[in-house]
Amino acid sequence: MSDATHHGLPMQEPSHPPAGRGFWRNLPFWGLLPSWLLMAFALLVPMIIIAAVSVASRGAYGGFDWGFDLTGYRQILFNEGWSGELEFTPQYLSIILRTLGLALTTTLLCLVLAVPMAYFIANQPPARKAALVYLVTLPFWVSMILRVYAWMIILGRDGPLPRFVEFFGAPAGLSFMYNDGATLAAMVYSYMPLMVLPVFASIEKLDGTLIEAAHDLYGNRWVTLRRVILPLAAPGIISGAILVFVPALGAVLEPTLMGGGKQMMMGSLIQLQFGGGRNWPFGAAIAMTLLAFVVIVLILTARRATAKGATT
């Protein structure tokens, strides 16, 4: 006998949730269902298809044949010799390392240029600040191909920059095209707004009294930047670095047009395998390797942000 009946109190039936409560509890899920379906068909399904193609066998006339074959992944590091033995081939590894180096250099240069630019914009009057933010986003209104071709005109023979250098005694017919420097310049220009905007959003929220306190404590500009501004703007810097690094890994236009195709990058290699190379499993394996680098960067960034949040 329960305590309620022992003290002469009437028993109460356990309360049940009203009909339809479970449906309404899951209403956010049903409301987001179109987004989930769109993400599944636009992101998850293509990745599953690419992953399946990467472990398929190469077709006799291009394309692929369904099956399980890791030749595409093995081909990244090894090549099969005439007698069937595997020989280490560093050419694709060098392409991967070159792509990582170019993407990291692009991210670092964008960061170095974006921090003072974002700080300058954040300290302007509201009307001028809005105009400057508009100017930062203005290149996105123009096609990427047109922007790259504009850089080809600037750096190419008889362009403004070679003519300017020739004015100071450089030999005539100079061209700054078709090298890693031209590729890097175009990539920094293309992805710079992706770094400026999140850094600006973080710097704009900074408490100005903290910067004044740093100056009152005899901190020079470098100390204030290193110990006050950059730590407080770290969320925007991390977001901007991800937004620049990820598309820089798969860049195709800049290395092809500005570099002249002399230095193969991962994006160009994938395009070649799905085009003239007609080796879809190898191209898919390169794409999955590229995706693995992106996932590793995102995981490391998330773990760093979680650890930093736990310590604060």
Side-chain angles (χ1 to χ4, degrees):
M1 182 178 293
S2 66
D3 294 336
T5 55
H6 179 74
H7 294 289
L9 298 175
M11 292 287 293
Q12 294 182 353
E13 295 294 333
S15 60
H16 296 285
R21 181 175 178 180
F23 173 80
W24 294 110
R25 182 184 300 169
N26 296 326
L27 181 60
F29 170 79
W30 294 107
L32 295 174
L33 184 60
S35 300
W36 286 105
L37 292 176
L38 180 61
M39 291 178 63
F41 283 104
L43 298 177
L44 189 59
V45 172
M47 284 195 295
I48 292 176
I49 294 174
I50 293 296
V53 173
S54 69
V55 295
S57 59
R58 183 179 183 180
Y61 303 98
F64 65 95
D65 294 328
W66 288 115
F68 184 77
D69 190 353
L70 295 178
T71 303
Y73 289 96
R74 189 186 64 193
Q75 193 176 349
I76 297 175
L77 294 177
F78 300 98
N79 192 15
E80 188 173 351
W82 290 101
S83 58
E85 76 280 6
L86 296 180
E87 300 173 350
F88 176 69
T89 52
Q91 56 180 343
Y92 298 122
L93 182 61
S94 65
I95 291 174
I96 294 174
L97 295 178
R98 185 187 306 122
T99 304
L100 288 174
L102 188 61
L104 287 173
T105 306
T106 302
T107 305
L108 183 61
L109 287 177
C110 286
L111 176 62
V112 171
L113 296 175
V115 169
M117 187 184 300
Y119 186 80
F120 174 77
I121 296 175
N123 287 280
Q124 298 302 309
R128 188 181 302 170
K129 186 187 303 183
L132 292 175
V133 171
Y134 168 76
L135 291 177
V136 170
T137 61
L138 193 59
F140 285 131
W141 294 36
V142 182
S143 170
M144 175 74 81
I145 296 178
L146 293 179
R147 282 182 279 163
V148 175
Y149 271 109
W151 271 99
M152 294 178 68
I153 295 174
I154 294 173
L155 300 181
R157 185 174 286 108
D158 297 330
L161 187 58
R163 289 293 183 90
F164 178 77
V165 177
E166 289 170 12
F167 179 77
F168 291 96
L174 196 63
S175 175
F176 295 103
M177 283 292 298
Y178 309 127
N179 51 56
D180 288 343
T183 304
L184 187 62
M187 291 179 66
V188 170
Y189 170 77
S190 299
Y191 303 127
M192 174 70 82
L194 299 177
M195 179 70 80
V196 173
L197 294 179
V199 175
F200 162 74
S202 293
I203 292 179
E204 191 183 26
K205 298 176 183 176
L206 291 182
D207 188 354
T209 57
L210 297 176
I211 299 176
E212 294 178 1
H215 290 303
D216 293 340
L217 295 174
Y218 302 104
N220 56 30
R221 293 182 178 181
W222 168 247
V223 172
T224 303
L225 173 66
R226 185 170 58 88
R227 306 192 63 173
V228 178
I229 297 177
L230 291 182
L232 294 177
I237 292 175
I238 294 174
S239 301
I242 293 175
L243 290 176
V244 173
F245 181 75
V246 171
L249 278 178
V252 176
L253 275 178
E254 294 88 351
T256 302
L257 298 179
M258 303 296 294
K262 295 180 180 178
Q263 300 291 339
M264 186 73 71
M265 309 298 290
M266 290 182 70
S268 305
L269 181 61
I270 294 171
Q271 183 189 34
L272 176 64
Q273 298 305 319
F274 279 94
R278 302 180 64 81
N279 190 351
W280 288 22
F282 181 53
I286 295 290
M288 294 306 297
T289 304
L290 179 63
L291 178 63
F293 283 121
V294 174
V295 171
I296 289 173
V297 170
L298 294 179
I299 291 175
L300 292 178
T301 305
R303 291 186 61 181
R304 181 179 176 82
T306 304
K308 187 175 181 180
T311 55
T312 56

